[in-house]
Amino acid sequence: DFGNAEVVELAKKYDPDGERTLGVVTKCDDVAKTESSDIVEKVLMERTDDVRLELGFHCVVNRSQKDIDEGMSREDLLEKERKVFSESDRMKRLPKENWGTLALTEKIAKLQEHRVDAHLPKINEAVRKTTTELQRRLCELPPPPADEKSQFREFQRIVSRIRKDLEEGIKGENFVRNYTITRVVDSK
């Protein structure tokens, strides 16, 4: 029962409007063999009380443990799937775009493409803003020491300042500064 499935409850929790959830119904070969099933009605969301997903439902056939043990190939699985959805009186009511592993793969690829297209401009804008801010901050930095002697003096000045701050901190004086210590690790 779709309405009581744990995964449907999770989907309702994290996607209450059902806009991002695609339902995938597995083991449809078992359903095709049963005497009575309303799987097609549920997948097509024909009734008012059926679970509704904006992206709908998609049916597939999985390999059984026996199929796996016997080494069923991908091609054989796709043929088994085709037979289930084209020969079963119940299952052949499903539109071709609502069944099959290959159609599911294409559907998911298109959904991912649309999500990337929708979010890429936001990502580009965030990168642009961050780059602009970092360039601005880089321009505010003092020029680097010109030679090795100047570099050593600057290093000594920084070490001296840290030493003074630590001494004041030990004495309980003026220890309010925050330091960011960046560890540089050679990647070799």
Side-chain angles (χ1 to χ4, degrees):
D1 181 20
F2 285 17
N4 294 331
E6 184 179 341
V7 71
V8 173
E9 292 304 314
L10 285 171
K12 286 179 182 176
K13 180 179 178 181
Y14 294 102
D15 183 20
D17 298 327
E19 296 171 348
R20 299 182 326 257
T21 304
L22 171 64
V24 178
V25 182
T26 60
K27 300 181 183 176
C28 290
D29 48 334
D30 293 342
V31 174
K33 297 174 194 170
T34 60
E35 293 271 333
S36 65
S37 173
D38 62 349
I39 189 74
V40 173
E41 291 81 5
K42 288 178 179 180
V43 168
L44 297 177
M45 302 176 288
E46 292 180 339
R47 300 168 298 206
T48 56
D49 61 335
D50 286 331
V51 173
R52 301 246 174 244
L53 298 175
E54 185 75 26
L55 300 175
F57 290 90
H58 196 93
C59 297
V60 295
V61 171
N62 299 96
R63 293 186 300 169
S64 66
Q65 187 59 50
K66 181 181 174 212
D67 294 335
I68 293 168
D69 292 343
E70 293 174 356
M72 177 185 268
S73 70
R74 182 172 185 256
E75 292 74 23
D76 290 341
L77 174 62
L78 295 176
E79 179 58 22
K80 177 182 175 183
E81 196 172 52
R82 187 197 61 74
K83 283 182 179 179
V84 166
F85 292 107
S86 62
E87 295 176 6
S88 162
D89 288 336
R90 177 179 303 118
M91 302 308 279
K92 67 183 173 184
R93 288 186 42 221
L94 286 172
K96 189 157 178 63
E97 65 268 8
N98 284 73
W99 63 264
T101 305
L102 292 177
L104 177 60
T105 303
E106 290 174 20
K107 191 178 283 188
I108 291 171
K110 284 190 186 308
L111 290 170
Q112 289 175 328
E113 180 184 341
H114 291 300
R115 296 282 294 172
V116 168
D117 288 348
H119 290 86
L120 203 52
K122 295 174 192 169
I123 293 169
N124 285 339
E125 180 60 18
V127 167
R128 188 195 63 73
K129 283 182 179 178
T130 302
T131 302
T132 301
E133 173 60 17
L134 290 174
Q135 286 173 337
R136 184 192 63 73
R137 289 174 53 194
L138 191 59
C139 289
E140 292 174 357
L141 291 175
D147 54 30
E148 204 170 300
K149 187 175 179 182
S150 300
Q151 290 172 358
F152 185 74
R153 271 197 311 266
E154 180 63 16
F155 177 74
Q156 288 295 94
R157 188 189 67 75
I158 292 170
V159 169
S160 176
R161 180 67 188 264
I162 291 172
R163 183 174 166 231
K164 180 179 178 224
D165 287 347
L166 288 172
E167 287 172 354
E168 288 175 1
I170 290 170
K171 293 177 188 174
E173 306 169 357
N174 224 3
F175 196 67
V176 188
R177 290 185 185 85
N178 292 319
Y179 289 101
T180 301
I181 299 173
T182 305
R183 184 174 175 197
V184 179
V185 179
D186 189 0
S187 60
K188 292 181 184 177

